[in-house]
Amino acid sequence: PRDIDLAVPAGGGCEIPEVRNTIAHFAKVLEPSGGADIESICARGAARYAAMLASDESQRFFESAEVPAVGFELADGSFHPVLQINHPEGAHDFRVYAPADADSDVLELRPREGFARAAEGNWLLSEEPMEVRLTAADALIRADVARRDTRQIEVSVLYGDERRRVQFDLI
């Protein structure tokens, strides 16, 4: 408990006053704001972590912010890096999205390459977004990036039984 600085209580058990007081005794309690649904946020994080553990990749982080990455722009303008471009041929990685990541019943992923967290600061690899029509509230979307050779990247989106693949030349 001495290593814990901040706690985000989630789940019905955390509504019990004695449990809440015990948590507050060991760490600052962060209350969700802006109408955040903490249970779905935690569930989404757990699903992403499970997908990461199920992957055959052992390193799930970026070694350097100085190296550009290929990733996806979402409708909110954010950029989610997936694979740094200095990885060797054959390297691959993925990101898992949930329907809550979409602004509507369609999740739009625009492949980009660059350094910036804001999508407009990165190079657009395709004018056409990879659109996934969401048919189930609990389904997950897997977006993969694979390094094919020194100049080519393959991007694929898997949703249920549907898979779409597109290849791009690196900029």
Side-chain angles (χ1 to χ4, degrees):
R2 294 174 200 252
D3 296 338
I4 301 171
D5 297 320
L6 184 66
V8 180
C14 293
E15 299 301 320
I16 300 169
E18 190 170 328
V19 171
R20 194 173 248 343
N21 291 338
T22 302
I23 294 170
H25 177 74
F26 291 105
K28 178 181 176 191
V29 175
L30 179 66
E31 297 295 335
S33 63
D37 178 9
I38 200 70
E39 278 80 16
S40 70
I41 291 169
C42 290
R44 222 178 345 168
R48 288 180 176 152
Y49 187 66
M52 180 184 81
L53 292 177
S55 168
D56 59 353
E57 297 291 317
S58 60
Q59 301 272 324
R60 305 298 298 182
F61 57 88
F62 288 104
E63 293 86 12
S64 170
E66 303 298 315
V67 177
V70 173
F72 299 99
E73 170 190 0
L74 293 184
D76 66 1
S78 62
F79 176 67
H80 299 180
V82 177
L83 184 70
Q84 287 187 318
I85 64 169
N86 64 344
H87 279 30
E89 293 177 25
H92 61 91
D93 210 339
F94 67 93
R95 212 174 161 104
V96 177
Y97 294 97
D101 293 314
D103 288 342
S104 65
D105 63 342
V106 175
L107 177 67
E108 284 189 4
L109 299 170
R110 292 182 188 276
R112 288 189 175 261
E113 174 187 346
F115 301 91
R117 283 291 184 186
E120 70 270 1
N122 296 307
W123 298 283
L124 189 61
L125 295 175
S126 171
E127 292 293 327
E128 292 295 315
M130 298 178 84
E131 293 184 346
V132 179
R133 183 155 304 279
L134 305 170
T135 56
D138 60 349
L140 297 176
I141 300 101
R142 178 178 162 143
D144 291 85
V145 176
R147 182 77 186 258
R148 291 294 162 229
D149 58 35
T150 57
R151 298 294 311 148
Q152 203 166 58
I153 292 285
E154 180 180 279
V155 174
S156 64
V157 175
L158 177 65
Y159 178 64
D161 294 331
E162 181 183 347
R163 179 183 288 272
R164 277 182 270 168
R165 289 189 171 128
V166 182
Q167 291 192 353
F168 301 101
D169 290 330
L170 291 172
I171 294 176

